[in-house]
Amino acid sequence: MANVRQKNAKTAVVLFSVVAGMIGLAFASVPLYRIFCQTTGLAGTPSIRSQAPEKATDIDFKVRFDANVNTELAWKFKPLQKEITLKLGEERLAFYEATNLSDKTITGSAVFNVTPLKIGQYFVKIDCFCFTEQALRPGETVQMPVSFYVDPAIYEDKNTRDVKTITLSYTFYPVKDEQKVSAVRPSATPGNKG
Amino acid sequence: MANAAGAHHDEHHDHYPSFFSRWFCSTNHKDIGTVYMFVAMFAAIIGGGMSWYIRLELAEPGIQFIQDKQFYNVLLTAHGFLMIFFVVMPGTIGGFGNWFVPMMIGAPDMAFPRMNNISLWLLVVALLMLLISAFVEGGVGTGWTVYPPLSNSIYHPSPAVDFGILSLHLAGASSILGAINFIVTIFNMRAPGMTLHKMPLFVWSILVTAFLLVLALPVLAGGLTMLLTDRNFGTHFFDPAGGGDPILWQHLFWFFGHPEVYIIILPAFGIISQIVSTFSKKPVFGYLGMAYAMAAIGVVGFVVWAHHMYAVGLDVDTRAYFTAATMVIAVPTGVKIFSWLATMWGGSIEFKTPMLYAFGFIFLFVVGGVTGVTLANSSADLVFHDTYFVVAHFHYVMAIAAIFAMFAGWYYWIGKMSGKQYSEIWGKIQFWIFFIGVNVLFFPQHFAGLAGMPRRIPDYPDAFAGWNYVSSIGALITAVGTLLFFVILIRTYASGAKAEQNPWGVGATTLEWQVPSPAPFHTFEDQPDMSGKAPAE
């Protein structure tokens, strides 16, 4: 009987570690999912690279711009151009404009995606205002640039060959953790917090 | 026979503890199984009552009874939670599993009897927690899938959802402990000579189910914890404002949720295998194939989860994979269906109530399986998604099918569990009322769904009125069948005929039929020697 008991305890320990491992895996899935989306462009996650290709093609392509603001953020936010036509592989610069409508300095950060969702990996950002948090003083208006290109490989992928227009969309959210913001960017919140 | 002698020996120390110690502090697998079954029946009355109220509202277009739409959401959320976590799982795994797994493998009890008691009472607390959540400011109206952002604090600011999450955490902990107990019992406590390949198929089904629980439930627990911290402690796992993604919840939830439907149906497979074999008076056709088909269903069940999320914008290759993988499941389930039919083929079939329910189960499962293959197609599913077609599909294939297996198991084993036999004629009448009821209830929902009726909405256009009315009449018939079941249950306990040790004759070969009815408090303290005997399916 003692023998069975020992064996039971051993099996139970193994099974409890499997349970612990699966809980760990559930939490590990958070960074893994992010990495997976970034590398595969899943769910319209654009790629980020440091440089456009040397030579652009002569194929025309359209990019449209969309802007949204979360209701908790008292900002006006709009693209300065509705759409542009560019060549595949050509690096372009586009601007968005944000105005702080409140009488407080507010920090916001933008999340972004592109549609159709399947072309995420072919829309490449070189630099973007959305990579950092943006602090606007009361009534301040700023123009914010994004530079990008569309990877010509989009024409070599049979799943994305039909796409002629990409929509780039941003949504600005207030940065909730004020303390963290002032720690990271002390100049962004000059004294009139809250 | 060694085991008959063992059983005789057992009767000598059948002194039961006092009422409180026996039922509340129990460490006896049979008593714990009995309490599990009564918890399941209690939850079934509440969960069933909610669904009948929903059908009452849906009987006609317009709003008749449920003015508060959030209350409608709360009803169908609670219906889902109750039926899955507090009816089917405690019924098949906690109830029949606890009662018959140790007996079928010739073990004296579960490996960890006190942990078994914790599992039971954690579940009871979880049930109370869920019921309390309905009375907290607005209740949980998220659907059983608890998708954010609907389940975030923006749309469900009250603590009701936190109660719901806590309830699922406790129910999950209960199930994980129970599953570990089953695996250890089945691996280490089998009678000498009872090899894995000789175990009855019901034991196999519980073994595979326990592995699914151990692998899937922690993922739900992790996801729920993230949701809880998102709601209360300012994390952003599922909140895009902080760089999170609500779709991640769907991936985590369905990584648990799809194995969960097999957790519900696999023990049902096990019960049906025992019954089909018993009443055909033949061993199950293709025993090894049946056992490994269940294992295969369990394995493949972990790699098909995104077929619940075709509408979130997966790319075409991903959808092609999940479509193909989902259809692969039709192969092992087909092996099971055809093996049951082959078991019956040429058998000396006796149409007792459990066998009728086994037939009913196979019919319902095939209907639901066919619509399942339809829904597996990602392109077709974009049209069917969130319609009543899906509601009809999963009620056929897992919900009502599992309830049929539970009825089948109850009629099959009640003599062994209570020592009293049910009334055969009333059992058959109850079967036919229930069988007609559920088909009238759920079959028309296919038509409403194909016509485009969305699920989870308390009102619908007049165009859907006809089939909804039929469906509600079916719900009424089902309610009569359910009521009759409880009458039969009370009559069996109160005035049932004394059950024989083996009421089913030569077909019933498993070990539980070799002890007296009702099964003595302690069985197989001297383990039977099974070496040299045929597989006990």
Side-chain angles (χ1 to χ4, degrees):
Chain A
M1 215 47 203
N3 197 10
V4 175
R5 249 185 215 182
Q6 249 173 12
K7 225 170 114 188
N8 285 355
K10 227 182 253 173
T11 319
V13 166
V14 171
L15 290 168
F16 274 110
S17 12
V18 171
V19 170
M22 288 308 290
I23 293 179
L25 210 60
F27 282 92
S29 73
V30 176
L32 289 177
Y33 179 74
R34 187 172 304 139
I35 294 165
F36 184 75
C37 287
Q38 279 162 0
T39 44
T40 61
L42 195 82
T45 314
S47 310
I48 297 164
R49 274 171 232 164
S50 58
Q51 225 179 348
E54 297 279 302
K55 242 179 72 188
T57 62
D58 54 358
I59 307 166
D60 278 338
F61 207 85
K62 258 187 210 165
V63 175
R64 292 168 157 268
F65 300 90
D66 171 54
N68 309 280
V69 187
N70 182 268
T71 46
E72 286 172 38
L73 185 64
W75 282 14
K76 203 169 82 179
F77 176 51
K78 59 175 189 192
L80 289 181
Q81 61 288 305
K82 268 206 172 119
E83 67 171 51
I84 57 174
T85 305
L86 77 171
K87 306 286 184 201
L88 280 185
E90 175 196 5
E91 183 183 339
R92 286 291 283 267
L93 197 62
F95 285 92
Y96 278 74
E97 189 180 85
T99 308
N100 185 348
L101 303 175
S102 75
D103 53 3
K104 288 177 291 191
T105 297
I106 303 179
T107 307
S109 76
V111 299
F112 49 91
N113 79 337
V114 288
T115 43
L117 300 174
K118 62 183 176 182
I119 54 83
Q121 57 179 316
Y122 301 115
F123 189 88
V124 186
K125 288 185 175 182
I126 292 166
D127 206 357
C128 175
F129 60 89
C130 53
F131 294 169
T132 54
E133 288 167 355
Q134 305 290 326
L136 265 64
R137 285 188 294 277
E140 187 187 13
T141 297
V142 291
Q143 291 187 357
M144 298 179 295
V146 49
S147 68
F148 61 91
Y149 69 93
V150 181
D151 192 333
I154 195 168
Y155 262 22
E156 283 147 34
D157 184 338
K158 64 178 171 26
N159 290 337
T160 54
R161 203 179 291 150
D162 59 318
V163 177
K164 303 274 184 283
T165 309
I166 289 177
T167 305
L168 173 62
S169 173
Y170 288 97
T171 305
F172 252 107
Y173 289 94
V175 173
K176 283 175 186 164
D177 196 344
E178 289 290 337
Q179 256 186 329
K180 197 173 132 207
V181 174
S182 51
V184 175
R185 312 183 60 191
S187 62
T189 46
N192 58 346
K193 211 171 80 176
Chain B
M1 275 162 74
N3 35 45
H8 183 72
H9 173 72
D10 283 331
E11 281 178 293
H12 289 297
H13 36 152
D14 247 14
H15 36 78
Y16 294 98
S18 67
F19 181 83
F20 183 81
S21 322
R22 179 168 181 199
W23 298 111
F24 288 84
C25 312
S26 181
T27 53
N28 182 295
H29 71 102
K30 302 182 189 83
D31 287 351
I32 287 178
T34 305
V35 180
Y36 259 119
M37 291 185 57
F38 278 99
V39 170
M41 286 181 200
F42 172 73
I45 294 170
I46 303 174
M50 288 172 168
S51 65
W52 289 311
Y53 195 35
I54 289 170
R55 272 321 318 166
L56 186 66
E57 172 55 53
L58 291 174
E60 283 177 17
I63 298 294
Q64 279 79 232
F65 299 96
I66 303 174
Q67 303 298 336
D68 179 2
K69 310 281 166 62
Q70 170 69 7
F71 180 60
Y72 183 85
N73 292 342
V74 172
L75 276 183
L76 56 82
T77 304
H79 168 73
F81 280 144
L82 283 169
M83 290 305 196
I84 292 165
F85 291 99
F86 300 100
V87 177
V88 176
M89 286 170 69
T92 55
I93 307 169
F96 295 125
N98 265 307
W99 252 98
F100 294 106
V101 164
M103 285 168 83
M104 282 178 162
I105 60 173
D109 204 311
M110 296 286 281
F112 305 108
R114 273 177 278 193
M115 194 162 90
N116 208 4
N117 181 286
I118 297 172
S119 297
L120 167 65
W121 292 105
L122 276 180
L123 188 84
V124 174
V125 177
L127 177 58
L128 289 178
M129 206 67 94
L130 185 72
L131 296 178
I132 288 172
S133 80
F135 297 98
V136 179
E137 303 163 62
V140 186
T142 58
W144 86 284
T145 51
V146 208
Y147 281 2
L150 181 58
S151 58
N152 279 352
S153 44
I154 319 163
Y155 298 104
H156 273 89
S158 86
V161 176
D162 302 313
F163 267 108
I165 290 172
L166 204 52
S167 165
L168 290 188
H169 264 142
L170 290 175
S174 155
S175 292
I176 288 172
L177 293 178
I180 289 175
N181 215 340
F182 276 118
I183 297 174
V184 176
T185 307
I186 294 171
F187 275 175
N188 298 344
M189 311 258 299
R190 296 189 310 277
M194 172 67 81
T195 58
L196 282 175
H197 284 174
K198 275 189 190 173
M199 292 191 316
L201 283 173
F202 179 65
V203 182
W204 262 103
S205 74
I206 294 288
L207 180 64
V208 176
T209 305
F211 270 107
L212 296 189
L213 283 165
V214 164
L215 292 171
L217 271 173
V219 177
L220 176 72
L224 283 171
T225 308
M226 293 177 210
L227 193 61
L228 198 68
T229 58
D230 266 16
R231 288 174 52 80
N232 297 300
F233 307 115
T235 57
H236 303 104
F237 289 107
F238 308 124
D239 180 5
D245 187 347
I247 303 294
L248 174 61
W249 165 263
Q250 297 193 21
H251 283 290
L252 286 174
F253 181 83
W254 287 114
F255 186 81
F256 144 79
H258 197 75
E260 173 68 21
V261 304
Y262 296 126
I263 287 164
I264 286 169
I265 207 65
L266 283 175
F269 284 172
I271 295 171
I272 297 304
S273 295
Q274 303 302 140
I275 290 173
V276 167
S277 155
T278 296
F279 292 96
S280 305
K281 301 195 175 63
K282 278 171 69 187
V284 161
F285 178 88
Y287 166 80
L288 276 184
M290 288 292 255
Y292 284 97
M294 287 193 280
I297 291 169
V299 172
V300 183
F302 274 103
V303 291
V304 297
W305 76 90
H307 69 216
H308 297 271
M309 328 166 27
Y310 284 144
V312 302
L314 301 172
D315 75 272
V316 68
D317 291 339
T318 313
R319 279 183 285 144
Y321 160 73
F322 279 106
T323 298
T326 303
M327 288 189 176
V328 165
I329 294 181
V331 176
T333 47
V335 167
K336 298 211 66 83
I337 298 286
F338 286 112
S339 295
W340 285 323
L341 296 182
T343 308
M344 295 179 202
W345 185 264
S348 165
I349 299 178
E350 227 182 331
F351 285 98
K352 293 276 173 60
T353 311
M355 188 60 165
L356 286 179
Y357 265 109
F359 266 95
F361 172 89
I362 294 171
F363 172 78
L364 294 172
F365 188 76
V366 168
V367 172
V370 169
T371 52
V373 174
T374 316
L375 286 167
N377 291 280
S378 58
S379 4
D381 181 76
L382 291 180
V383 182
F384 297 136
H385 190 85
D386 262 351
T387 66
Y388 260 82
F389 191 80
V390 177
V391 176
H393 156 71
F394 71 73
H395 278 95
Y396 261 95
V397 81
M398 57 164 248
I400 290 300
I403 296 292
F404 265 52
M406 286 165 76
F407 277 139
W410 190 85
Y411 285 111
Y412 183 56
W413 280 313
I414 187 61
K416 187 58 58 188
M417 294 188 290
S418 71
K420 305 278 183 66
Q421 200 64 345
Y422 65 93
S423 151
E424 191 62 58
I425 179 73
W426 282 105
K428 284 181 179 166
I429 292 171
Q430 195 265 339
F431 165 77
W432 283 109
I433 294 176
F434 202 78
F435 182 72
I436 292 167
V438 294
N439 280 292
V440 175
L441 166 54
F442 289 112
F443 211 80
Q445 294 185 0
H446 290 116
F447 310 141
L450 284 176
M453 179 169 165
R455 61 193 281 210
R456 292 175 169 160
I457 311 280
D459 194 4
Y460 50 85
D462 290 355
F464 304 133
W467 287 122
N468 272 291
Y469 188 64
V470 175
S471 181
S472 288
I473 289 176
L476 187 63
I477 302 172
T478 309
V480 173
T482 310
L483 195 67
L484 184 56
F485 170 75
F486 282 103
V487 173
I488 292 172
L489 180 133
I490 291 166
R491 277 196 43 166
T492 304
Y493 274 99
S495 58
K498 183 164 173 20
E500 297 159 45
Q501 175 170 320
N502 175 7
W504 310 127
V506 291
T509 55
T510 40
L511 283 175
E512 79 270 28
W513 305 111
Q514 299 180 7
V515 300
S517 297
F521 199 54
H522 297 290
T523 40
F524 298 126
E525 284 187 317
D526 300 318
Q527 295 200 301
D529 189 359
M530 299 301 289
S531 25
K533 292 187 183 154
E537 75 273 15

